[in-house]
Amino acid sequence: MQHPSIMEPFYLTKEPYYQPVGAEAVLFKAAYESKRPVLIKGPTGCGKSRFVAYMAYHLKRPLITVACHEDLTASDLVGRYLLQGDETVWADGPLALAVKHGAICYLDEIVEARKDTTVVIHPLTDDRRILPIEKKGEIVPASDDFMLVISYNPGYQSVLKDLKQSTRQRFIALEFNYPPRATEIQIVAREAAISEEVARRLVGIGEKVRNLKNHGLEEGVSTRLLIYAGQLIGKGIPPHRACAAAIADAMTDDAEMHRTLMEIVRSFFE
Amino acid sequence: MQHPSIMEPFYLTKEPYYQPVGAEAVLFKAAYESKRPVLIKGPTGCGKSRFVAYMAYHLKRPLITVACHEDLTASDLVGRYLLQGDETVWADGPLALAVKHGAICYLDEIVEARKDTTVVIHPLTDDRRILPIEKKGEIVPASDDFMLVISYNPGYQSVLKDLKQSTRQRFIALEFNYPPRATEIQIVAREAAISEEVARRLVGIGEKVRNLKNHGLEEGVSTRLLIYAGQLIGKGIPPHRACAAAIADAMTDDAEMHRTLMEIVRSFFE
Amino acid sequence: MQHPSIMEPFYLTKEPYYQPVGAEAVLFKAAYESKRPVLIKGPTGCGKSRFVAYMAYHLKRPLITVACHEDLTASDLVGRYLLQGDETVWADGPLALAVKHGAICYLDEIVEARKDTTVVIHPLTDDRRILPIEKKGEIVPASDDFMLVISYNPGYQSVLKDLKQSTRQRFIALEFNYPPRATEIQIVAREAAISEEVARRLVGIGEKVRNLKNHGLEEGVSTRLLIYAGQLIGKGIPPHRACAAAIADAMTDDAEMHRTLMEIVRSFFE
Amino acid sequence: MQHPSIMEPFYLTKEPYYQPVGAEAVLFKAAYESKRPVLIKGPTGCGKSRFVAYMAYHLKRPLITVACHEDLTASDLVGRYLLQGDETVWADGPLALAVKHGAICYLDEIVEARKDTTVVIHPLTDDRRILPIEKKGEIVPASDDFMLVISYNPGYQSVLKDLKQSTRQRFIALEFNYPPRATEIQIVAREAAISEEVARRLVGIGEKVRNLKNHGLEEGVSTRLLIYAGQLIGKGIPPHRACAAAIADAMTDDAEMHRTLMEIVRSFFE
Amino acid sequence: MQHPSIMEPFYLTKEPYYQPVGAEAVLFKAAYESKRPVLIKGPTGCGKSRFVAYMAYHLKRPLITVACHEDLTASDLVGRYLLQGDETVWADGPLALAVKHGAICYLDEIVEARKDTTVVIHPLTDDRRILPIEKKGEIVPASDDFMLVISYNPGYQSVLKDLKQSTRQRFIALEFNYPPRATEIQIVAREAAISEEVARRLVGIGEKVRNLKNHGLEEGVSTRLLIYAGQLIGKGIPPHRACAAAIADAMTDDAEMHRTLMEIVRSFFE
Amino acid sequence: MQHPSIMEPFYLTKEPYYQPVGAEAVLFKAAYESKRPVLIKGPTGCGKSRFVAYMAYHLKRPLITVACHEDLTASDLVGRYLLQGDETVWADGPLALAVKHGAICYLDEIVEARKDTTVVIHPLTDDRRILPIEKKGEIVPASDDFMLVISYNPGYQSVLKDLKQSTRQRFIALEFNYPPRATEIQIVAREAAISEEVARRLVGIGEKVRNLKNHGLEEGVSTRLLIYAGQLIGKGIPPHRACAAAIADAMTDDAEMHRTLMEIVRSFFE
C-alpha cells in the first residue's frame, strides 16, 4: 500500500450499528477471502449499505461508496485527465483508488449507472482481477485486499435497468430483506431513542404496510422511515401526526392509499 | 463555520410574511433538530418557497435555493473545476456551500432535475450525512446546521418525473395546500394593498376556480395570481379586466374554460 | 445603473409604429409599475413584438429581445465563463444584462426554449426578483426598472411545448389578436405605402383567409404578409401574382388550399 | 462595406446559365428592393440554386450558400469564439458575414437545419433587420444590400421537418418546378453538349418518369440526371446503358420500378 | 498539386486483383472524365471496394477511403482546428485532402454516416464542384482530378438509413452483384491458393446459399467468405469444418438455418 | 517492433488453464497464420476469454483485451490527442497499439460497442489490413503478427445489438458452448480446489439448470458460478447455502424460478 494516507478518510472509525439476521456475514467473509465480488439484492432501506459498512469495519478495510446514477460513466469510476497548470494530470477515480489501495468499493444501485460502468468492472470480477485504464494504456492488478460489492433492488427491475446475465454471473449474491420483527423493534427503539413499546407499534405498522406492496404500493416502508417516525414522537409530536409526516406523506401521493396508511397508523395509536 | 462572509448574501434580513396554517413549522423544526431532511409537497403557488424562507429566518440559517430543471446535473450542485489562469481551481456548487457552511439547501421542484442530482443527495439523507465530491476524491461531512429541503408538486406526477421510493423514503414529508379562506383573505389584502372586501371576492373566485381542477383545469389558481389581480385593481384597472389578465388569460388558452372563468369573475364583480 | 453605455444599443431611438386596440398599454404599464412580469399570447405576426418595442420606447427602457429556440439554455441567458488570454472571464448573458441595468427583457416564443430557461426565470418572477447566477455563486437583485416579458403562441400548444402552470401562474397575461379591420387597413396602407383602397382589399382577403383557420390552415395570415403583398403591388407586380407570392405560396404547400386562397384573392382583385 | 476583400471569393465571375420561365426574376428583384427575404420552394434538381446564383450575378451581390443539415446550429451561421494563441478570437459565421457585407445569404434546404437556426433568422426577416449575436452581446444591423434566401422541398414535408408558420410568414415565396419541355431540351442539349434530337428524347423520358411520382417514385427525375445521361451518351456509351446508370440505377433500388424505368428508356431509344 | 508528398501513402503501388464483369470500368472512366461523382450499389463483399482501388490504380489517382459510421460528422471529413502549442492549427480532413490534391475520395457505406456528411458533399456534386469549409469561411474549388465515389448496400435500405433523392440524383450509379460463376471460381482459386476443383465446389455452395436470401438469410454469402473457407482447407482443415467456421457459423446464429447451410456444404463435400 | 517494452504488460507470463474441447485451437491457429480475424460466439462464462488468453500464450503474442460497452467509440480504440503542457500529443488507443506492435486485440462483446467501432475494424479485416487514423491523416499497415478477435453472445441478439452481415462476413467464426461433463468436472474440481465428487454434483446441477434456458431462464449457469459454489463449500459453507448464494440468488430475482433452482440443488445435495 503506497500512500496509506490517501485512504484515511475511507476507514470507518467506529463500529456501525448492525444486527446480523442470517449467514450474510459468514458468506461475505468467505467471498472476501476467496477474492470474489459480492452482489447484494434487496428493497430500499433494508440495511444493505449499513451491512457493507459493518463488514468493512470488521474486515478492517477502507470503504469507498459510489452512489450510481444515470450519468455515471466509466471515467467517473476509473479516473480522468485534469488540466493543471501546464500539464494534464491523471486523477484516479474511486474504483481505481480502491483497486490500488485494497479498499472495498461499494457501487450502490449499480443498475442506475451507464452501461459502460457495469462492463468496466468485468475484468475485476473474473480470474484476471485487473483494472484496464484504457486512457493511460495501463493495466492495474487489484490489490489482494480489494473487494468489489454492488447492490441492486430487484423491485425496480425493468428491461432497461436490468443487470445483464454476463454481469450477474460474476458475483456471489446475498439476498436481503427487512429485519425480522424482534430485530427491527430493537433497531427502531435504539436508533430513535424511544421505548420498546412505541417501537413495537411502529414495527407493527411497518409489517401491515409491507403487505400492501403490489396492492397499490410500489415498495414497502423502510426501517429508516419507522425510525424517523419514532424520532418525531420522541420530540413530542403526536404519533398520528409523526406517522403522517414520516410514513404516509413520505410514501404516497395517492389520497386513497394515504387514507389506508393512516387507518393502519390509527389501529396502532388509537 | 470557516468563511462566514461567503454566506452573507444567503441570510434573510427581514422576516418573510408567512401565515402558519397547521403543524408545519413544528414538524420542520423537529426535523431540523433531528438532522433529518424534509420533503414539501403541494400545488403551484401555495406558499412552499415562502414557508422555507420563513423557517430559515426563524432558525437563523442562510438559505440557498436552487430551482431545479431538466439540465441541472450533479456537478451544478456539487461544484466543478474552473480554469483560472494557469491552474484549474475548484468552485463549490450551491449544495457543497450549504453542506460546508451549515445552510438550508432548498432544491425546488426536485423531480425536474437530472436523475444524478437526486442520487447525489442520498449520502446526505441517511446517517452518513456526507457529501462525496467524487471529482476531488473527497468526503465532506455535513455541518451540524446543514439541512436539506426539497419540494415536489404531486400534481405533475408522471412515470418520467416521479420521485423514486429509494429517494422519498429518506425524507420527512409535509403536505401543503392553499391557505384556508380567512388566512388567504388576509394575505391577499396585505400583499396587494387592497380592502378586505375586494380580497374576500378574489379569494371567493379562487375557491370556485380551484373546484374546476380535474374538470378541465390542470391546476388550481395560486394565491399569487389573486394578489396580482388585486394589485391591478389597486392600480385602477376595472376588476373584470384585472381578473381577465391576472387569472383567466394567465391560466388557460382554452376559449370554453376562459368563458367559465370569466363567469365566475362576473358572479363576484358584477 | 453602473455602465449605461453598455445599454445604448438597446434603447429605441424612434417611436415604433403601433396602433393600440384595447387596454393592453394600460395593463402593461400597471404591470411595469407593480414590478410584475407580463406574458403576451397571440398568433404569428399580429404585432406582439411591435407592441413590446412600443412600450419600451414609451417607458424609456432599453429592450433586450431574445428569440428562443430549442437549443437555448439557461447559460445563454444568464452568462458564461469565457477563456480570455490567461484567465476565464465572466460574460453576462442578455437576461443578466437586463436584470442589472434595468432593461425590459423580452423572451420571444418562450416555449421553444430548453426547459431550464423557463425555470431560471422563476426567482425573477416572484417576490424575490433575484437572478441566481449559480456558476458564480452570486445572487443578483433585479434593478427596480427591470421587467420580464415573454410571448407565446397558444396555437402551437402541444404536450411537449406547453408552458407549465408553475411558470404561467407567475405572469399577468395579455391576449393579442389581429387588429380590427379599420386599424389593419390603416397599418397596411401606411407600411406598404399603398392606397387605402388596395389596403382595404388586402385586409378583406386577410379576413376571409383567417376564417379558414382550423379548416385546413394551421394559422391565419399575418398582417405582415398583407403588407408584403401591398409592397409587391406597389412595385408594379400584378395583384394576383403579388398575392400568390406573398400569401398563397408563403402560407401553404397544399395544392387544394392554394387554389382556395387564390380564389379568395381573385374575388377581391378580379 | 469595411473589408470588401473578404467578400471576393463570393462574387460570381461569370453569368450562370439560367433560363427564366416566368415572373420569378421580377419578383425576386422586387423583394430585394423591398428588403424582404425570399423562400424558394420546389423539387430536387429543378434549378433553385442555379436561379439564386443567376440573381446574385445580376444584382451584383456576393453569394454565400450554406447547405443546411441536421447538425447545423445557430453558431455555425452566426459565428463562434476560437482559441488563438493567448486569446479567444471571434470568427464570423457565413450569415454574419453576409449581414455585415451586404451579401445574399442562401440557406439551402432550411428545414434540414437545427431548429435554432430557423429562429435565429427571425430578427433578420422583420422590420428590425438585425442579427443579434448573443455570445457577444451585440446587435448587428443588416447592410442595405443584405438579402436572405432560403429553399425548401415541399415534397419532403413531414411533421418533424416542416417550416413553422411563424417562420414561413416572414418570406415572399416563389414556387419552382421542372422547366417546360422546350426550355428543358435546350438546357440538356447545351449542358451535355449533345444534339437537340437526343436531348428531346431524354426530356421525353423525364416527363414520363415524372408522371410516376406518387406511383412508387418518391420524386421525379431532375434535369441534372438527364444531363448526366446525355454526357455519358456523348462519351460513346450506348443510350440504354447511359440511362440505366444516370437515371434508373440512380433513382431506385426497387427491381420492379427499375424495370418500368428501363421500359420508358427503351420506348425512346429502341 | 502543392504538396504531392502528402498524397504518397494514398497511391496504390501494385495493381489490385480485379476481374471486370461488364461495362463498369468504362462507365467509371466516362464519369471521371465528365467530372461526375459515382455511386456504387451492391451487396456485402461483392467487390465494390476492390473495384474502386482497381480504377484508382488505372486512373493513376491516389485513393482516400473513409469507412462511414453513425458518428462520422462533416468535421471528420472536412477538417477541424487542433490546439497546437500556442495556436489553433487547421487540419484538413480526408475529403478536403482529396479535393485539394486531386484524389479519388471513396466514402464507403455512406448511409451509415451522420446526415450532415451527406449534405456536405452536395456542393461537390453539382456544377460548382466546391468544398465550402464553413469553419474557415473558405471555399475550395475541387482539383480537376478530384472524384467522389460513394457506396451503398440497397439490401440494408430502411427509412432511417436511406439515401435522400436530393443526394442520389447527383450521382451516376453502378449496380454491382456477385461475380458470374466462372469469374468467381477463378477468384477463389487464386486468392485462396487452392485447386480449381475445390474452388468450383465452394462457388457451388455460394450459389445455393445466395438463393436462400430472403428465405431466412439476410444477405448472400460473400466471395470473401468462400476464399476464407478455401484458405482453411488449404491449411489442412477438413472441408466441412472449414465451411462451418468460414460460412455457416460466420453467417448465422439460427440453429435451423445453420443445419440448412451445412447440408448444402455436405452436398458438395460429401 | 519498435518499442517492445510498451507491450510487456500485455504478455501472459503463465499458461492460462484451458481444456480444449474440439478443433477450436487448430482453427484459431490456421486463422492466425492466414492473417484472418476470428469471431468467437457463445454464452456467458463458457470460457471464451480464457481460450483467447490460452491461444495468445501459445502463439507468444501480447494480448490486449477491450471490454466493449455502449459508450465505447472509435476514438477509444484508435487513439486521441491529449493536451500535454504546450502541445497536443497523440496517444495510441488499444487497437492502434495492437496493430503497430503485433498483438492480438480482443474486443469482448463487440455488439455492445458504438457502431463506429465495428466499422473502424473493417479495413483491418479485409485484404488491406490497414488502420486508417483519420484524425492524423495516417494509414497504419498492420504488423504481420497482428490478429483481431471479437466475441459475441448470440443469446442476446436483438435488432439493435446485432452484428451486421457486412461485419460478420469478415471473420472466421468459432462457436463455443459449455464444456462437456467430464471436462467441466475436472475444471470445477481444480479451480475450486474441491473433491471430484462435489464437483460432479455441481456439474450435475449445472446441466439441469441449463435445460431451463428458454423455460424462464434467460441464460444457462456458467462454469464460473459452479466454481464459486465449490469455493464457498470449500470454505465450509453448507452446500445448499453456497448454491443459493452462488447460483440461485446470482441468476434470478424471480421467486418461482428461485424455488425451482433450489429444488435442483437439493436433489444433488439432499
Side-chain angles (χ1 to χ4, degrees), chain C residues 10-30:
Chain C
F10 298 107
Y11 278 97
L12 289 114
T13 48
K14 59 177 187 190
E15 184 181 9
Y17 173 66
Y18 178 78
Q19 289 277 39
V21 299
E24 74 270 25
V26 174
L27 279 162
F28 192 101
K29 191 151 175 281

Side-chain angles (χ1 to χ4, degrees), chain D residues 65-97:
Chain D
T65 298
V66 180
C68 298
H69 52 75
E70 268 175 18
D71 300 316
L72 191 92
T73 64
S75 293
D76 293 327
L77 290 179
V78 173
R80 53 168 54 86
Y81 281 104
L82 294 176
L83 193 64
Q84 231 168 52
D86 265 11
E87 277 175 290
T88 49
V89 176
W90 176 261
D92 276 329
L95 183 59
L97 272 180

